[in-house]
Amino acid sequence: MMESGLDGSAEIIEKWKIKLEDAGVPVIVGSNDSSQPRGVGFAKNQAVIQSSGTYLCFLDSDDVMMPQRVRLQHEAAIQHPNSIIGCQVRREPVDSTERYTRWINNLTEEQLLTQVFTSHGPTVIMPTWFCSREWFFHVGKFDEGGKGVPEDLLFFYKHIQMGGEVFRVNHCLLLYRYHPQAATHSVLEGTIWNHRVKFLEDRVLSSWTSFTIWNAGKQGKKLYRSLSPANQKKVTAFCDVDEKKIAKGFYTYEESEERPKPKIPICHFRDATPPFIICVKLDLTGGTFEANLSMLNLQEGMDYYHFN
C-alpha cells in the first residue's frame, strides 16, 4: 500500500507496480482527489483502510528498511500484542542529529515508557512503527487536522493512555534519512510544547502532591508558567547547579494574578526534595548532569521524569 506524493514518486511507483504485480505482489496506490492536500494523518489513515493485513508496518517514503525488518518486528508483535513495535536506526547523513539518534537507539525497556514527555517525541519513531491492525483501530486513527498537527505524537499519547506498551527490536532495521525541510519541522514548537505539558499533567502531576523543577533557568520557568494553577501550587522549589541562580534565593512569578505574587525558592540540587521534573537536556554536558543525577540514587519513573 503506497501513498504517492508530489515529488515524481507517482511515476516511479507506477513502474514498480507493474514489476511487483508481475511477481504476484498486489499494489494499491492511494491518492487524494481534493484540490487541497489533506495532510499526513489523512494519508496514513487511507493507507490503513485500503490495506488488508493483520499487521501494519509503517515506512516514510524517503527511508529504507532492511530485509529482515518485517520478520523481526512481526515476531515481536506476536509476543507483545498491544504494543507499538519500533527498532534501532541508522541516520543518514551519519552526523545529523547525533544526540537524537543515540537517544532512539539506546533507551532502556523502562525508558521507552518513562521518557515519553521529552521534546524528542515518541520513544520509538514513527517510520519504525509496526503494530496489529486490531490495536491500531482500538487506539483510533491518526488526527486528520492537516498541516501543523503532530499526528504521530498524538496517536502515541493516546496509545499510552489506553494502556499500550512500547517495545523496540534491538537491531538496526531502518536507514533514517534527515531532511531539514521534512514535514516534522512544519509543526510549531509551541503546539508540541502544549501537548507535552498537558500529557505530563494528566499522566504524572495529577498523582503528585508536590514536586521540584530541576532547572532554575529559562526552560524550568517556562514549564512552571505553562502549568495549570493547581499544578503551579505543587511546585515547592526550583533546583540548579548554577551558583548565581541559587544566590537569587527565589523566583517571583511576575505574571501571576495573585497577591502577593508567588515566590518559589531556588536551591542546590543536593538540597532539593524529590520527585523532580527535569528540564535539563540530556547528553549535552559531557556527562556532568548525568553524574549529578545518578549521585542521588533516584528511580526514573518514580522519583523523576525527564521533560527536556
Side-chain angles (χ1 to χ4, degrees):
M1 172 63 227
M2 304 180 188
E3 283 291 323
S4 59
L6 302 171
D7 52 4
S9 56
E11 291 77 26
I12 299 165
I13 288 168
E14 279 306 324
K15 282 181 191 160
W16 274 100
K17 184 178 185 338
I18 297 161
K19 286 185 186 178
L20 289 165
E21 291 190 332
D22 283 349
V25 179
V27 177
I28 300 167
V29 180
S31 62
N32 166 25
D33 303 330
S34 86
S35 57
Q36 292 299 311
R38 298 283 301 271
V40 184
F42 173 80
K44 288 175 190 162
N45 288 337
Q46 287 302 108
V48 171
I49 291 161
Q50 291 164 9
S51 66
S52 59
T54 311
Y55 289 92
L56 305 170
C57 178
F58 292 91
L59 177 71
D60 280 2
S61 59
D62 46 2
D63 299 330
V64 181
M65 67 184 197
M66 304 302 137
Q68 70 276 37
R69 179 185 169 189
V70 172
R71 178 175 59 82
L72 293 176
Q73 289 192 308
H74 177 243
E75 285 168 7
I78 292 168
Q79 297 297 316
H80 306 272
N82 299 348
S83 288
I84 291 177
I85 312 288
C87 64
Q88 292 175 321
V89 303
R90 183 156 62 85
R91 198 57 151 149
E92 189 173 276
V94 172
D95 57 354
S96 57
T97 69
E98 286 179 85
R99 278 176 59 242
Y100 181 45
T101 308
R102 271 199 297 275
W103 181 81
I104 293 166
N105 288 337
N106 297 311
L107 288 169
T108 65
E109 217 171 302
E110 294 75 33
Q111 287 171 333
L112 291 172
L113 282 174
T114 57
Q115 292 203 14
V116 294
F117 307 103
T118 79
S119 57
H120 286 325
T123 48
V124 287
I125 59 164
M126 210 291 304
T128 71
W129 286 5
F130 189 104
C131 67
S132 76
R133 172 181 299 275
E134 189 185 343
W135 182 256
F136 177 86
F137 281 113
H138 177 69
V139 175
K141 296 188 297 189
F142 286 107
D143 187 301
E144 295 187 1
K147 198 174 164 128
V149 172
E151 77 293 326
D152 53 348
L153 183 71
L154 297 180
F155 185 90
F156 186 73
Y157 281 174
K158 213 155 72 166
H159 161 79
I160 301 274
Q161 278 160 337
M162 297 182 90
E165 292 173 28
V166 185
F167 185 82
R168 188 186 66 224
V169 173
N170 286 328
H171 291 276
C172 174
L173 304 177
L174 186 83
L175 180 66
Y176 182 37
R177 291 211 175 107
Y178 176 70
H179 299 291
Q181 72 283 10
T184 321
H185 308 288
S186 73
V187 181
L188 293 171
E189 221 171 288
T191 305
I192 290 182
W193 173 273
N194 295 337
H195 285 303
R196 286 170 52 217
V197 171
K198 174 90 178 62
F199 193 54
L200 179 75
E201 291 189 312
D202 292 348
R203 300 283 301 171
V204 177
L205 304 185
S206 58
S207 60
W208 283 1
T209 52
S210 65
F211 64 99
T212 300
I213 293 176
W214 189 318
N215 184 346
K218 228 178 8 199
Q219 288 294 302
K221 290 171 183 171
K222 183 183 173 185
L223 174 62
Y224 173 83
R225 289 195 301 269
S226 304
L227 296 172
S228 69
N231 283 319
Q232 284 177 345
K233 288 192 166 66
K234 296 179 185 178
V235 179
T236 50
F238 288 91
C239 74
D240 213 292
V241 285
D242 185 334
E243 296 299 342
K244 267 193 200 151
K245 288 178 188 138
I246 297 164
K248 281 185 185 158
F250 51 82
Y251 162 65
T252 307
Y253 181 32
E254 295 294 353
E255 297 86 346
S256 177
E257 304 286 300
E258 283 185 45
R259 295 293 176 273
K261 289 175 182 175
K263 285 186 169 186
I264 296 95
I266 300 173
C267 62
H268 194 281
F269 76 88
R270 277 194 300 263
D271 306 320
T273 310
F276 297 99
I277 296 297
I278 300 176
C279 296
V280 179
K281 285 184 176 173
L282 290 161
D283 193 12
L284 209 61
T285 54
T288 310
F289 162 70
E290 286 80 359
N292 288 340
L293 179 59
S294 73
M295 191 172 87
L296 300 178
N297 289 319
L298 302 172
Q299 190 184 332
E300 187 170 0
M302 198 161 81
D303 303 312
Y304 69 91
Y305 284 91
H306 285 288
F307 188 83
N308 48 326

